[in-house]
Amino acid sequence: MPLVEETSLLGDSSVTLPVVVIGNGPSGICLSYMLSGYRPYLSSEAIHPNAILHGKLEEARHLSIVDQDLEYLSEGLEGRSSNPVAVLFDTLLHPDADFGYDYPSVLHWKLEQHHYIPHLVLGKGPPGGAWHNMEGSMLTISFGNWMELPGLKFKDWVSSKRR
């Protein structure tokens, strides 16, 4: 994921990008990660605690999750969003987290250069959004593991920031 300083764009006004992401918080960073060519797959050793979902995932284990029928995969799932795709990704990233479990993600992320889409992420301040405003005793409204980014555990980030 190449980072470009705002000053480097000022000299060349002919730059055309197909995608501009507004916001450089956790959601914008995740979107940029995917636009950079990283694709989610079912991890080879993963067993999802939801047996029905696990069976569906096994049917096309060789395909990236985003290349599958997301409506089919999200059938019957319930969660904290009215968006079925958001609920699907929540349950893949944090299986049964709404029930207080801390199961590992069943996703494995692969870099596939041919899926790279040039893009620009715009945001106020450094990447991470609200993460930079968290002081030692401050907690998020969401559980800590809901704040994770692909490949970066929130617990690891917090331990590097707190005294």
Side-chain angles (χ1 to χ4, degrees):
M1 227 177 341
L3 296 175
V4 177
E5 294 294 325
E6 63 185 53
T7 54
S8 66
L9 293 176
L10 297 176
D12 185 4
S13 60
S14 65
V15 175
T16 303
L17 296 169
V19 177
V20 175
V21 178
I22 308 298
N24 63 350
S27 295
I29 293 170
C30 287
L31 180 55
S32 177
Y33 190 74
M34 292 184 75
L35 291 170
S36 295
Y38 286 90
R39 314 269 289 174
Y41 286 83
L42 181 64
S43 179
S44 59
E45 67 279 353
I47 298 175
H48 198 283
N50 179 322
I52 295 170
L53 176 58
H54 185 74
K56 291 177 181 180
L57 292 166
E58 284 290 342
E59 293 171 9
R61 180 183 275 277
H62 63 287
L63 291 176
S64 170
I65 300 298
V66 296
D67 293 326
Q68 296 182 41
D69 182 347
L70 299 179
E71 184 177 353
Y72 170 67
L73 290 176
S74 61
E75 279 176 348
L77 297 179
E78 295 180 1
R80 25 172 101 203
S81 174
S82 59
N83 179 334
V85 174
V87 172
L88 172 64
F89 272 88
D90 282 350
T91 196
L92 294 174
L93 289 167
H94 307 288
D96 286 348
D98 283 333
F99 302 114
Y101 293 101
D102 191 18
Y103 294 133
S105 170
V106 298
L107 295 181
H108 168 72
W109 295 83
K110 289 185 191 177
L111 176 58
E112 298 177 348
Q113 294 286 349
H114 62 283
H115 286 291
Y116 171 78
I117 298 172
H119 62 283
L120 176 67
V121 179
L122 300 175
K124 280 191 332 192
W131 281 28
H132 294 283
N133 298 327
M134 291 184 200
E135 298 298 327
S137 63
M138 187 180 285
L139 301 173
T140 64
I141 294 173
S142 300
F143 295 118
N145 62 346
W146 287 97
M147 296 290 289
E148 290 179 352
L149 300 172
L152 177 63
K153 294 211 171 285
F154 188 70
K155 287 184 235 177
D156 297 342
W157 182 85
V158 166
S159 67
S160 73
K161 291 292 185 185
R162 293 193 179 169
R163 296 181 186 116

